[in-house]
Amino acid sequence: MSIHSRLARLLLPFLAAACAFAAPLAQAADTSKPLKVGVRGGVDEEIWEVVTKVAKQNGLDVKVIVVSGNASPNEALNNGDLDANSFQHIPFLRDQIKQRGYKLAIAGNTLISPIAFYSKKYKSLESLPEGARVGIPNDPSNQTRALVILRDHGLITLRDGFDPYTGTASLEDVTSNPHKIKLVESTSLILAKSLEDVDTAAIVNTFAYQAGLIATRDGIAVEKKENNPYVNVIAVREQDRNAPWVPKLVAAYQSEEVRQFILNKYQGSVLPVF
């Protein structure tokens, strides 16, 4: 056997190992896919069209998935069907994690999307008649926001010590109701589609916008923007919170291009929080 043959036999295991090591790397690069980000239709979908373009310019491929109806973007994210989602404020996410055990984490702030009361019959909460039917969201965080607006306009009072920064309020926390309004609980989607069935309803901005309603233009009462705990966020799975793509995704959202789009497009009904 020649020296070249003996050398080839000695190197063969190392060459095979090197090829085995390189193969998965090559495969990972070939099968890389866009990041899937779940959003609701309307405002979030429109903003993420801009985010996607900014991310692409910075080498990050993002695919926006619009989650419609009663399907849960948090369930999809927790199950790994999405890489991130962007549709909810902190108290809602906190409640979902507590109630459903989701392993999700906050990646970065996005915007404040004010909730408002809308009506096809009345121009203000103060003009509501005795015993008016008032629709409010049935999820804990958005129900809290609606009850706070009703409290601030003098229609109800809430229990002493209530603080929206640290807890939620429900119908059980209403301590007085001098106008005997009837509080009707329902999902935000149904409230937006059946506004004519009540005297007024509190609708979160995502579903209001889909119905052609803008808080600052059409709302008869809008929640305060100052000292508002309901900041919307980008959420990821806990196992991905330190992944290298996460800060890149957040930076794409928190860019000047996106800030200017939000300010110009929504004229104050949606505000950037970055």
Side-chain angles (χ1 to χ4, degrees):
M1 181 180 297
S2 69
I3 187 172
H4 296 291
S5 298
R6 288 196 298 272
L7 183 60
R9 290 184 62 185
L10 288 171
L11 292 175
L12 185 60
F14 297 100
L15 292 172
C19 290
F21 179 76
L25 294 179
Q27 185 178 13
D30 292 339
T31 58
S32 60
K33 298 179 180 179
L35 291 173
K36 292 180 290 185
V37 179
V39 305
R40 292 297 192 185
V43 173
D44 285 324
E45 182 182 7
E46 291 176 347
I47 293 173
W48 273 89
E49 289 179 3
V50 183
V51 177
T52 299
K53 295 176 182 178
V54 175
K56 190 73 171 180
Q57 294 168 2
N58 296 323
L60 193 65
D61 197 4
V62 176
K63 181 178 181 180
V64 175
I65 308 295
V66 178
V67 183
S68 59
N70 290 322
S72 170
N74 282 331
E75 184 78 18
L77 176 58
N78 192 69
N79 292 342
D81 298 322
L82 298 171
D83 298 297
N85 68 37
S86 177
F87 77 102
Q88 64 195 322
H89 50 62
I90 294 173
F92 183 84
L93 175 60
R94 180 181 61 201
D95 182 71
Q96 289 266 291
I97 290 172
K98 178 181 178 181
Q99 296 296 328
R100 302 179 184 274
Y102 294 143
K103 304 297 183 182
L104 305 179
I106 294 172
N109 292 344
T110 57
L111 51 80
I112 286 178
S113 181
I115 192 172
F117 276 89
Y118 300 88
S119 177
K120 294 189 176 181
K121 306 172 185 177
Y122 301 98
K123 299 297 184 182
S124 69
L125 290 181
E126 288 74 14
S127 64
L128 292 175
E130 191 95 352
R133 287 172 51 82
V134 178
I136 59 173
N138 62 0
D139 65 275
S141 56
N142 287 315
Q143 184 167 117
T144 299
R145 299 170 80 180
L147 292 175
V148 168
I149 296 174
L150 294 175
R151 180 199 65 184
D152 292 346
H153 284 260
L155 272 70
I156 62 171
T157 57
L158 297 173
R159 61 175 169 82
D160 291 340
F162 164 69
D163 184 353
Y165 280 92
T166 58
T168 57
S170 68
L171 298 188
E172 295 178 353
D173 296 303
V174 177
T175 55
S176 71
N177 181 359
H179 300 283
K180 298 181 175 58
I181 60 174
K182 297 180 176 66
L183 296 171
V184 181
E185 299 175 278
S186 189
T187 66
S188 295
L189 177 64
I190 293 175
L191 290 172
K193 291 185 175 182
S194 56
L195 184 57
E196 66 278 359
D197 296 332
V198 292
D199 293 301
T200 184
I203 305 174
V204 297
N205 204 39
T206 298
F207 293 106
Y209 189 79
Q210 292 179 31
L213 301 170
I214 296 177
T216 54
R217 184 190 69 195
D218 305 305
I220 65 171
V222 184
E223 73 178 331
K224 297 176 180 178
K225 297 176 184 177
E226 297 78 19
N227 301 318
N228 192 325
Y230 296 96
V231 176
N232 283 25
V233 294
I234 297 171
V236 299
R237 290 183 294 171
E238 283 187 355
Q239 67 191 60
D240 292 331
R241 66 190 312 166
N242 295 319
W245 55 265
V246 173
K248 295 180 181 179
L249 183 66
V250 173
Y253 195 106
Q254 296 180 351
S255 62
E256 189 59 26
E257 294 95 322
V258 173
R259 179 196 300 276
Q260 291 303 319
F261 175 81
I262 293 172
L263 293 175
N264 294 331
K265 174 75 173 180
Y266 305 111
Q267 298 296 309
S269 62
V270 175
L271 297 173
V273 188
F274 53 86

